[in-house]
Amino acid sequence: MWTRIYIVLVLARLYFALSPSYIHPDENFQGPEVIAGKVFSFPNHLTWEFTSSQPVRSVFPLWPVYGLPMLLLRWIWNELGKGEVTPKITYYVLRATMFISSFILEDWAIHELVHSPRQRRLAVILVASSYVTWTYQTHTFSNSVETLVVLWSLVLIQRILENKQRSSIFSSALLGVLFVFGIFNRITFPAFLLVPGLYLIPHSIRKPFSLITILLASLPTTLIAIALDTAFYLPSPTTLTLNHLLHHPTLTPLHSLLYNLSPSNLALHGTHPPYQHLLINLPLLILPAIPLLLFSPLHSLPLLSALGGTSLLSLFSHQEARFLLPAVPLFLSSIRLPNSRSYKWIFVAAWVLFNALLGTVMGIYHQGGVVPMQIWLGQQSSSTLPAKEVLWWKTYSPPVWLLDGKANTTEKGGLETVDLMGVPVEKLFEAVDSRIRQCDVVKIEDSRGYGDNNKSIEVIVVAPWSRMDLDSWRTDDAKWEWEEMWVKRRHINLDDLDIGGKGLIGTWRRVWQRRGLIAWRVRRRCGN
């Protein structure tokens, strides 16, 4: 029975991995957006993390995680004679890669960390049935990568501590490599290893060669990481030299640490109370499991890692739920079911309902139209889509790399993505009006030959259907003509609900009944 349940849960994980929901812009702009522009020359947009004078993001972990699958895909495509790889294929290959990484590395690590067969079976099922595993962990987040690195670092620490006879050279060397990789991936990584790492101190005193091996493995890994970052951030067409590396190295983890230690910098991203992680974010991730963690936890290395990481991250003023992703499998592998049969079934029912609901919302509908819409726009030719600009309103930032590789050429219409984010509707009106203020006189061919006719400059507006403030503008304003071009129904926006006077239930009913993301062609009405 357990095997059948696990297989079903793995299939559910695969389904959510291939569903194009969009949980947070960082899943594109801190990874695939950067590397796709290098491997396939797709148009891309680098965010401030990569363009500031002291960049805080390293490309070192991006190449093995996203670059290698893209390079392999490009090689296979060339060998098969398929022509150019499309962004759509690349997107789903990366999602499949994250699924495979989660399925193999995450589940395997849980098997390694939990010794009791009965407890191991429970831990694997809980992790496999968590909506966090279905959604966050199968998306291209640096936090998802951090989760795998934390898990396997704990596995290696446990192997080293359990080997009383030898220095565990291989495990120590691999731990050194992973430690550097984890730091360059996210500066928060050491928070989850601080408490487990303390156990290595007495072991290193007894077996100093283990510590020496860790240091020897971490040193060349650090040099490679710094070299890759320094080369990436050199102004083009400058090539990396030893002088650059020695005198002007790019130390992205140091920049990230200094940036995040500044409260004024964190305030730019949102300030949260110290209890945000413990009382809000953690329940958002594993709510039904929290009572079991409070009253019957399994004291173990994973639990110490999760508690240590969560506590240290709570010291910072900017706290998002995804920052706790590494703690989720660690907490879930530290749970013991209650002895009471009735309490056990209450937990199971609550756990299933909680994850089914959140999995459906976050894994299917949350901003689920953005990626398909951007792929569709990139596939249109200039004859079907003559507009030059696409105004995105009340959505997450659309990933530019998902536009076709020729999107900036005349053949593909030269689309320019304009991200209006959450500006007031009046600002959207102004943006549209400024772009189609005049009617151009152009020559068009009709059945009678060529003649001068008025043809409006047009623009594409992409917005959620749930935004009712667009309804009157589309139907009552005689100046503009609105034409619905494409719609993706699996889309809801939880970040801009505008509850207003309808209350939470009324607002949710509107958002759900009018779910969808629509692309409108907007033109000024011009006389003949």
Side-chain angles (χ1 to χ4, degrees), residues 179-367:
F179 189 74
V180 174
F181 185 93
I183 290 178
F184 275 81
N185 178 62
R186 289 190 64 83
I187 197 62
T188 56
F189 166 74
F192 293 95
L193 292 190
L194 181 60
V195 176
L198 296 176
Y199 286 86
L200 287 176
I201 296 177
H203 177 83
S204 299
I205 294 175
R206 293 194 308 269
K207 299 184 182 298
F209 195 68
S210 177
L211 177 60
I212 294 173
T213 304
I214 293 174
L215 296 176
L216 289 177
S218 62
L219 180 59
T221 309
T222 303
L223 293 177
I224 293 173
I226 294 175
L228 283 174
D229 284 346
T230 304
F232 179 83
Y233 288 110
L234 281 175
S236 181
T238 309
T239 56
L240 179 66
T241 64
L242 185 60
N243 181 63
H244 282 117
L245 201 55
L246 292 177
H247 297 95
H248 305 286
T250 301
L251 306 176
T252 51
L254 178 60
H255 298 163
S256 180
L257 177 63
L258 294 176
Y259 182 90
N260 284 282
L261 287 176
S262 171
S264 60
N265 288 336
L266 296 182
L268 298 175
H269 307 276
T271 301
H272 304 104
Y275 54 80
Q276 176 83 15
H277 275 326
L278 289 174
L279 299 185
I280 299 176
N281 293 339
L282 198 57
L284 181 63
L285 299 174
I286 56 169
L287 177 61
I290 290 180
L292 300 183
L293 283 172
L294 293 175
F295 298 109
S296 59
L298 179 67
H299 299 285
S300 61
L301 200 64
L303 182 61
L304 292 175
S305 174
L307 290 174
T310 304
S311 300
L312 288 174
L313 295 183
S314 297
L315 299 177
F316 293 88
S317 58
H318 180 62
Q319 302 177 21
E320 297 181 33
R322 61 192 173 94
F323 295 172
L324 297 183
L325 290 194
V328 170
L330 300 177
F331 277 130
L332 294 181
S333 61
S334 305
I335 284 177
R336 286 185 291 200
L337 291 180
N339 295 324
S340 171
R341 186 179 181 86
S342 58
Y343 288 155
K344 185 182 300 183
W345 281 110
I346 290 174
F347 165 74
V348 171
W351 182 252
V352 170
L353 291 174
F354 174 80
N355 288 288
L357 175 61
L358 270 295
T360 300
V361 173
M362 301 303 293
I364 298 177
Y365 289 99
H366 189 270
Q367 297 284 337

Side-chain angles (χ1 to χ4, degrees), residues 27 41 86 94 117 121 152 165 199 265 300 329 334 365 440 465:
E27 67 182 271
S41 298
T86 64
L94 291 181
R121 186 170 54 198
W152 275 96
Q165 305 299 324
Y199 286 86
N265 288 336
S300 61
S334 305
Y365 289 99
D440 282 356
W465 186 34

Side-chain angles (χ1 to χ4, degrees), residues 473-490:
W473 188 35
R474 291 188 293 108
T475 56
D476 300 339
D477 198 309
K479 292 188 303 181
W480 295 317
E481 176 186 343
W482 289 71
E483 177 188 353
E484 183 180 308
M485 299 188 66
W486 200 73
V487 60
K488 182 67 176 179
R489 287 283 289 169
R490 288 187 170 186

